[in-house]
Amino acid sequence: MDEPVSAGDRDLRLGDRARIEDLFTAYAYHFDRNEPAEVAALFTDDAVVDYGPEMANLSGRHTIESGVAAGLRDIFTATSHHISNVAIDFIDETRARAVAYVYAWHRYRDGSPDGFLWAQYHVGVRRRRGGWRFSEMTLKAAGSTDFHRSEMHPIGRNATARG
Amino acid sequence: MDEPVSAGDRDLRLGDRARIEDLFTAYAYHFDRNEPAEVAALFTDDAVVDYGPEMANLSGRHTIESGVAAGLRDIFTATSHHISNVAIDFIDETRARAVAYVYAWHRYRDGSPDGFLWAQYHVGVRRRRGGWRFSEMTLKAAGSTDFHRSEMHPIGRNATARG
Amino acid sequence: MDEPVSAGDRDLRLGDRARIEDLFTAYAYHFDRNEPAEVAALFTDDAVVDYGPEMANLSGRHTIESGVAAGLRDIFTATSHHISNVAIDFIDETRARAVAYVYAWHRYRDGSPDGFLWAQYHVGVRRRRGGWRFSEMTLKAAGSTDFHRSEMHPIGRNATARG
């Protein structure tokens, strides 16, 4: 093997994969540290975030920052977002779709029992001059317990009749 | 550094690592969406799955598909499998052993309390024409709560007497 | 694209990233199997571990081994450490800082309720002849429930007044 990376590996775009994984990692890190400006900086100017049917979409980086800031300030005293299962599908040189699982723990300001969420981020990402950014994010839940939102977008599990 | 990837990095087989990680990610994704055919397609024709001592081994892709389908249909209304800690040990060009941690949440059809599992998939993987596939999978549990199976293969923690 | 890995990807140091991720994976694996010598072997001779303000720092590989061994023997009957969100910042060829999230489940020898921890490892790593090793590790907690330690280093979440 003289070629360090095979032709098939080129298609894998390992560098872009790592950078897109880093984007999810940065999102969780800044969210959990209550740094809304740093969270918003991970999105394109015109990005749209859909956290669920009970909440209006956040459209544009500025609205994302203020929406995230309000939630972090009013609802939680602590959170921890554990990201895994990142799957990336490249559309072209500058665009990709990705799914990441999140297991999120939430401690509430009002003393409610800790909220747990088992969910997925379905995102669009774009590469601009400054690197990869989220252009679109939809949160879809497999399930939750004691979570502050009761209606969530579903992950799309196939319904099967029993027996 | 003129060489983009060092000799040591070649040994790491970063492309194969990414593809094997993708295999675990796809397993969780299709399992949680109740897509047994897509789960089974990740295994070799002659693969063997051992989910624990209370259940007969699933031998062959067809049996894996029907076994997984029955569980997904009869036992759960929702699941979420969070994969992490993937360790890969390459045997040769087309074979590897891997371990992945899984934190799995289960909601039951019969209304039982949610089941939690902290476990490891110990797998053999093989590269065939269509890419890497699981040839063997054994589930080993560190522990569980309210899980529908009471006996599981252990992860092999060393027993130590106290004091 | 004739170059398999772009200039930007060289800066990513994908091989070193993979090896540092492997270090966290090995730490969890050997910890959960109660293998303190294998855990300690992941640290430099002069490494320092700070698990929190209630416990003296563990200084040097030998002290790390005995400290980890005592905890694994006296406190737990089972643990599972799920690592994710690994962020790496290279300082130079042989040194880096990294943060990894950990979701850890603990079953206690004394029959106390299972302890849960949502936390981060903040580490320094160094490359020596034998590869990358932890030279420093500080555990910082986002939160916990029923954990055997009540005081932990915080992750540094910004405090925000409500309203």
Side-chain angles (χ1 to χ4, degrees), chain B residues 4-5 8-9 12 14 17 84-85 101-103 118 120 122 142-145 155-158 160-163, chain C residues 14-15 18-19 22 25 28-29 32-35 72-73 76-83 103 105 107 109 114 116:
Chain B
V5 175
D9 289 354
L12 270 175
L14 295 172
R17 276 174 69 111
S84 64
N85 305 37
Y101 273 43
V102 61
Y103 161 58
W118 300 276
Q120 301 172 6
H122 289 244
S144 64
T145 55
I155 62 164
R157 187 182 195 269
N158 287 316
T160 43
R162 186 182 194 172
Chain C
L14 295 172
R19 287 199 172 85
D22 286 351
T25 296
Y29 187 73
D32 294 333
R33 288 172 59 87
N34 186 8
E35 296 172 337
L72 290 173
R73 184 190 66 221
F76 310 116
T77 58
T79 60
S80 198
H81 286 72
H82 299 252
I83 304 286
Y103 161 58
W105 165 86
R107 185 149 288 169
R109 216 164 252 291
D114 290 354
F116 295 90

Side-chain angles (χ1 to χ4, degrees), chain B residues 43-51 56-61 63-64 122-124 134-139:
Chain B
F43 290 82
T44 61
D45 285 344
D46 59 347
V48 178
V49 175
D50 180 352
Y51 282 134
N57 283 0
L58 303 174
S59 293
R61 189 188 283 168
T63 309
I64 293 168
H122 289 244
V123 305
F134 295 118
S135 56
E136 191 194 323
M137 175 182 278
T138 302
L139 179 62

Side-chain angles (χ1 to χ4, degrees), chain B residues 32-83:
Chain B
D32 294 333
R33 288 172 58 88
N34 186 9
E35 296 173 337
E38 286 82 351
V39 170
L42 305 171
F43 290 82
T44 61
D45 285 344
D46 59 347
V48 178
V49 175
D50 180 352
Y51 282 134
E54 296 180 357
M55 187 174 166
N57 283 0
L58 303 174
S59 293
R61 189 188 283 168
H62 182 73
T63 309
I64 293 168
E65 179 175 343
S66 54
V68 166
L72 289 174
R73 184 189 64 220
D74 297 341
I75 303 177
F76 311 116
T77 58
T79 60
S80 197
H81 287 74
H82 298 253
I83 304 286

Side-chain angles (χ1 to χ4, degrees), chain A residues 15 18-19 22 25 28-29 32-35 72-73 76-83 103 105 107 109 114 116, chain C residues 4-5 8-9 12 14 17 84-85 87 101-103 118 120 122 142-145 155-158 160-163:
Chain A
R19 288 199 171 86
D22 285 351
T25 296
Y29 187 72
D32 293 334
R33 287 172 59 87
N34 185 9
E35 296 172 338
L72 290 173
R73 185 188 65 221
F76 311 115
T77 58
T79 60
S80 199
H81 287 73
H82 299 253
I83 304 287
Y103 161 58
W105 165 85
R107 184 148 289 168
R109 216 165 251 291
D114 290 355
F116 294 90
Chain C
V5 175
D9 289 356
L12 270 176
L14 295 172
R17 276 174 70 111
S84 63
N85 305 38
Y101 272 44
V102 62
Y103 161 58
W118 301 274
Q120 301 171 6
H122 289 244
S144 65
T145 56
I155 61 164
R157 187 181 196 268
N158 288 315
T160 42
R162 187 181 193 171

Side-chain angles (χ1 to χ4, degrees), chain A residues 62-81:
Chain A
H62 182 73
T63 308
I64 293 168
E65 180 175 342
S66 54
V68 166
L72 290 173
R73 185 188 65 221
D74 296 341
I75 304 176
F76 311 115
T77 58
T79 60
S80 199
H81 287 73

